Amino acid sequence: MLSKGLKRKREEEEEKESLAVDALWLDPGHAAVAQAPPAAASSSLFDLSVLKLHHSLQQSEPDLRHLVLVVNTLRRIQASMAPAAALPPVPSPPAAPSMADNLLASSDAALSASMASLLEDLSHIEGLSQAPQPLADEGPPGRSMGGAAPSLGALDLLGPATGCLLDDGLEGLFEDIDTSMYDNELWAPASEGLKPGPEDEPGKEEAPELDEAELDYLMDVLVGTQALERPPGPGR
Amino acid sequence: MIPGVGTLTQDTLWCFSQVKGTIEIGTTEADIISTVEFNHTGELLATGDKGGRVVIFQREQESKNQIHRRGEYNVYSTFQSHEPEFDYLKSLEIEEKINKIRWLPQQNAAYFLLSTNDKTVKLWKVSERDKRPEGYNLKDEEGRLRDPATITTLRVPVLRPMDLMVEATPRRVFANAHTYHINSISVNSDYETYMSADDLRINLWNFEITNQSFNIVDIKPANMEELTEVITAAEFHPHHCNTFVYSSSKGTIRLCDMRASALCDRHTKFFEEPEDPSNRSFFSEIISSISDVKFSHSGRYIMTRDYLTVKVWDLNMENRPIETYQVHDYLRSKLCSLYENDCIFDKFECVWNGSDSVIMTGSYNNFFRMFDRNTKRDVTLEASRENSKPRAILKPRKVCVGGKRRKDEISVDSLDFSKKILHTAWHPSENIIAVAATNNLYIFQDKVN
């Protein structure tokens, strides 16, 4: 409607969802209980924001204002997706929200830690020491694919980006990477555990977990060296 | 002052005067105008573009024979201010786009201006040459040295008139002081110093010293993970050389006094409006990010532009603005789409008229808006080639929000978001405005009766 350019039908639907949740969010009378529709729309905004963060960091010199605003918006969305934290108390099964809360809290910590390293990289520019700019995978991963892309691909992607100046030191870059996370069962083949088609999410406890896995994947691609420590999710 | 100048009464009619730039569709990106600025007398009008060029227009002398044509602006000088650079150490390309131009007040026959890209500020001298010395003793007419043995007489060289030549020379280059992207420059009222601001720091320079600058504001956190706010604009007070303001991406303005301490990390005043809870959304912070801040000519007020509004603040009241004007509130329900296509990050500028009674800012679809602070009237005008007949009166435009669309109205969904008016300028004392629409510069004047 507003942007020129090709829009796939699915994106239009997401946009309509997002506009709908925008209206929902703006309506103070609406009980913003985290049932499936707002959660799904929030999560599409979340994905969009992660995408923007992605693309912003792909620039050789990211626009700091754009970056900071996107990160802050991402944090807001994430905070709203934590059902217990942001909303008035609602009777709900105790196990799921607390687990989701833990996952989101830990992924928030992961997000913070990842952003820390990314912004540290930017600060290295000032110190004139070469820090690898994390390069992202080509194009956004589809939502249903989530963490399916091979994790080790991230290391390959980091290579060419910095290779022009660090041909000699490339090995040295990756010396201290803790590869134990790649042995973690969570990074098992995509066929296990991940559900496609998040718009059809049946229950709310599924949505945060899926997004969290996607977030992990993207953070892994972006950072490549962060060790994500958290308990295994439910149902695995 | 001419009666009627400086107000936006029903009698003020804006007319098309001139347009500069090409008409072709699919213009090169280098021609996109990135900054517009009148000098202190309004005699000169400078534009900078994405290709690093500066074009200066000069107003022609008004002739008694042509009262209807108040001095038109013609090209006076064109020069390449900044070139694209490559920083080999950091493997980064530095854009040549001119982010800002600021004029120095005229102190002699030459004109001086500051122009800046993301990293480097330059002081340019623009001067006229209309005489040439002739009759050198040691050089011949082509400038070649003569054999001293052939010189038998001595003569005094004389100055002869020549065709007017306008030269622009870079007099100072202020480089290597900014790690992040420069967004603002501002000349101090002492005319000896100026400041340059990037996302995290503000530096104070002396015009004579290029290898050193003083850092006066630094908001870079010790841990970059704590970075949540950047500097978006900064300006010196028009009269008090110790006072300046800077705005942030969180919608706050800080006023600082350089006499208080060398590093102005602690503000003297802090301007912030509490968030309206009924308008809260995921995008609240982004739309509150201030894209421009300008002192009034009087120095009593500051004006800020965020995504949807223009606000006027009294320097003596920090807790809320004294006036808020809605620029395009119909976009409030479209924020999600605007976030998706990145339009929500567009940085609009705002300007005061000479008497601080009217403020102007741009919008989409090549619309720009004026607000009269006294009468509370506002008007939406359009910069387009269709309205470009000489002295054609601009018709007010209206955006239809919902329901039945009237004949001359345009619906929100039909707005062209690629046509944005980000940069405008107002003549310091007359009702002449310059509006940059992508690669075209429009000049409008009020109707002369």
Side-chain angles (χ1 to χ4, degrees):
Chain A
M1 150 182 69
L2 289 175
S3 56
K4 304 215 162 183
L6 307 170
K7 286 177 73 83
R8 293 176 299 138
K9 193 167 185 293
R10 187 158 150 256
E11 282 181 3
E12 275 184 42
E13 285 169 3
E14 284 179 14
E15 184 188 302
K16 283 180 188 145
E17 267 177 24
S18 305
L19 286 175
V21 81
D22 217 3
L24 279 170
W25 190 252
L26 291 174
D27 178 4
H30 184 93
V33 175
Q35 291 305 328
S42 291
S43 93
S44 85
L45 261 180
F46 181 89
D47 291 344
L48 176 62
S49 300
V50 173
L51 210 65
K52 284 191 178 300
L53 182 59
H54 217 188
H55 287 155
S56 189
L57 290 163
Q58 268 184 316
Q59 312 294 321
S60 51
E61 210 178 0
D63 177 352
L64 211 56
R65 172 184 164 258
H66 187 271
L67 193 63
V68 161
L69 288 174
V70 169
V71 167
N72 290 350
T73 305
L74 199 51
R75 286 193 175 124
R76 268 193 199 220
I77 297 168
Q78 216 180 14
S80 79
M81 285 160 68
L87 304 162
V90 169
S92 53
S98 61
M99 192 63 73
D101 207 21
N102 283 342
L103 289 171
L104 282 170
S106 62
S107 66
D108 186 59
L111 175 64
S112 297
S114 307
M115 282 315 304
S117 93
L118 289 162
L119 291 167
E120 273 304 316
D121 288 349
L122 289 177
S123 78
H124 284 158
I125 291 171
E126 188 188 1
L128 294 183
S129 66
Q130 193 61 36
Q133 294 284 357
L135 239 207
D137 202 355
E138 291 311 311
R143 293 185 62 190
S144 56
M145 290 302 285
S151 326
L152 289 170
L155 298 177
D156 292 334
L157 289 168
L158 281 172
T162 53
C164 55
L165 288 168
L166 291 172
D167 280 19
D168 300 327
L170 202 55
E171 300 307 317
L173 265 182
F174 303 120
E175 262 172 32
D176 57 347
I177 289 178
D178 175 15
T179 56
S180 64
M181 66 173 170
Y182 301 109
D183 303 328
N184 189 311
E185 61 174 342
L186 279 169
W187 296 104
S191 51
E192 296 174 31
L194 288 175
K195 306 252 184 336
E199 287 102 321
D200 313 318
E201 279 312 304
K204 72 170 159 72
E205 68 269 29
E206 301 261 324
E209 183 182 301
L210 174 63
D211 296 319
E212 195 256 342
E214 284 174 21
L215 171 68
D216 287 343
Y217 162 68
L218 278 168
M219 284 300 137
D220 178 55
V221 166
L222 290 171
V223 178
T225 56
Q226 288 292 331
L228 300 171
E229 291 175 26
R230 62 178 195 283
R236 287 198 184 271
Chain B
M1 259 220 244
I2 306 166
V5 167
T7 64
L8 197 68
T9 64
Q10 206 136 16
D11 303 324
T12 304
L13 296 169
W14 287 94
C15 305
F16 171 81
S17 174
Q18 296 170 270
V19 62
K20 310 281 187 193
T22 57
I23 313 173
E24 305 141 21
I25 311 156
T27 50
T28 56
E29 230 184 78
D31 294 332
I32 296 175
I33 298 171
S34 49
T35 184
V36 189
E37 189 81 358
F38 280 100
N39 76 337
H40 293 265
T41 61
E43 181 203 353
L44 299 179
L45 175 61
T47 61
D49 65 23
K50 265 193 140 183
R53 284 171 306 219
V54 171
V55 180
I56 302 177
F57 302 91
Q58 185 187 42
R59 195 174 183 194
E60 64 187 14
Q61 301 291 340
E62 290 183 31
S63 73
K64 296 186 186 102
N65 302 330
Q66 296 183 320
I67 309 168
H68 298 296
R69 252 181 52 160
R70 277 151 68 204
E72 284 197 344
Y73 285 85
N74 302 314
V75 177
Y76 179 65
S77 174
T78 304
F79 57 92
Q80 187 74 32
S81 172
H82 287 71
E83 298 272 6
E85 285 172 48
F86 192 79
D87 185 332
Y88 294 96
L89 214 51
K90 301 164 198 169
S91 190
L92 294 170
E93 216 178 77
I94 301 170
E95 252 193 3
E96 68 275 30
K97 171 167 81 85
I98 308 294
N99 293 335
K100 283 282 164 19
I101 288 174
R102 289 289 182 263
W103 290 94
L104 270 69
Q106 200 175 1
Q107 292 174 304
N108 52 36
Y111 303 102
F112 287 88
L113 62 81
L114 286 175
S115 70
T116 186
N117 68 350
D118 284 340
K119 298 287 185 178
T120 303
V121 185
K122 294 187 184 180
L123 176 69
W124 287 89
K125 176 181 175 182
V126 183
S127 50
E128 294 180 6
R129 192 196 289 268
D130 63 354
K131 295 184 218 5
R132 169 178 63 215
E134 278 179 22
Y136 282 105
N137 289 293
L138 300 176
K139 286 190 280 188
D140 66 18
E141 276 144 38
E142 275 89 55
R144 289 186 298 245
L145 285 173
R146 286 160 71 175
D147 177 4
T150 64
I151 300 171
T152 54
T153 59
L154 196 64
R155 58 183 172 167
V156 177
V158 292
L159 290 173
R160 298 216 185 279
M162 59 181 258
D163 290 339
L164 178 68
M165 193 168 75
V166 181
E167 330 177 276
T169 45
R171 301 298 290 175
R172 304 273 187 276
V173 177
F174 305 92
N176 303 321
H178 285 280
T179 306
Y180 306 101
H181 292 172
I182 297 175
N183 52 55
S184 312
I185 46 176
S186 179
V187 179
N188 204 349
S189 51
D190 63 8
Y191 304 154
E192 288 181 4
T193 56
Y194 76 94
M195 69 162 147
S196 55
D198 67 30
D199 294 314
L200 298 180
R201 298 194 177 100
I202 302 180
N203 294 328
L204 181 72
W205 301 84
N206 183 301
F207 280 111
E208 301 303 317
I209 301 168
T210 58
N211 60 357
Q212 204 180 40
S213 70
F214 288 103
N215 176 240
I216 53 176
V217 174
D218 188 340
I219 65 167
K220 185 183 176 205
N223 292 319
M224 279 294 264
E225 71 181 49
E226 291 159 27
L227 180 68
T228 55
E229 194 174 10
V230 297
I231 297 170
T232 53
E235 196 180 50
F236 268 117
H237 190 283
H239 312 307
H240 305 309
C241 56
N242 55 290
T243 304
F244 65 93
V245 292
Y246 69 92
S247 59
S248 83
S249 55
K250 285 199 165 174
T252 66
I253 307 105
R254 287 170 177 82
L255 184 137
C256 300
D257 186 335
M258 294 196 292
R259 296 170 302 188
S261 69
L263 186 61
C264 299
D265 274 355
R266 302 185 60 180
H267 50 262
T268 305
K269 296 198 184 198
F270 181 76
F271 299 84
E272 186 181 29
E273 185 175 26
E275 194 180 0
D276 178 3
S278 65
N279 268 337
R280 207 167 180 276
S281 78
F282 290 131
F283 309 109
S284 293
E285 182 177 322
I286 300 181
I287 63 170
S288 76
S289 172
I290 292 173
S291 50
D292 195 14
V293 64
K294 292 264 172 47
F295 273 101
S296 63
H297 292 92
S298 63
R300 288 180 52 198
Y301 306 103
I302 47 177
M303 167 168 54
T304 57
R305 176 69 156 97
D306 51 56
Y307 190 62
L308 297 178
T309 71
V310 186
K311 296 183 167 128
V312 177
W313 306 74
D314 186 315
L315 284 190
N316 297 317
M317 188 159 73
E318 299 168 54
N319 58 350
R320 59 181 171 84
I322 56 169
E323 294 154 31
T324 300
Y325 301 95
Q326 302 295 332
V327 181
H328 38 216
D329 201 54
Y330 45 79
L331 297 182
R332 198 178 287 273
S333 56
K334 314 286 183 193
L335 292 179
C336 201
S337 304
L338 294 164
Y339 179 64
E340 191 178 358
N341 63 21
D342 269 348
C343 281
I344 206 174
F345 299 102
D346 286 336
K347 291 187 287 185
F348 294 93
E349 292 170 8
C350 52
V351 290
W352 299 87
N353 75 337
S355 59
D356 297 337
S357 59
V358 184
I359 57 184
M360 172 169 69
T361 188
S363 178
Y364 294 105
N365 209 73
N366 278 355
F367 288 171
F368 56 99
R369 305 261 284 138
M370 292 184 190
F371 303 92
D372 188 320
R373 297 178 59 217
N374 300 321
T375 66
K376 302 303 178 195
R377 287 180 190 274
D378 63 82
V379 69
T380 304
L381 300 172
E382 183 182 359
S384 78
R385 292 272 176 176
E386 283 80 49
N387 307 330
S388 300
K389 297 190 187 61
R391 294 186 298 284
I393 296 174
L394 293 181
K395 204 168 114 176
R397 303 302 310 258
K398 196 151 161 43
V399 177
C400 159
V401 182
K404 217 159 149 34
R405 185 180 76 87
R406 291 213 202 111
K407 187 166 163 269
D408 292 333
E409 293 180 353
I410 180 167
S411 75
V412 182
D413 297 330
S414 309
L415 295 173
D416 187 343
F417 286 82
S418 67
K419 293 186 181 168
K420 18 194 141 194
I421 306 275
L422 303 173
H423 313 288
T424 59
W426 203 308
H427 189 286
S429 54
E430 296 185 39
N431 273 351
I432 303 173
I433 56 176
V435 175
T438 316
N439 64 320
N440 286 327
L441 182 73
Y442 289 82
I443 299 173
F444 302 106
Q445 300 183 1
D446 68 347
K447 188 168 161 60
V448 181
N449 296 318

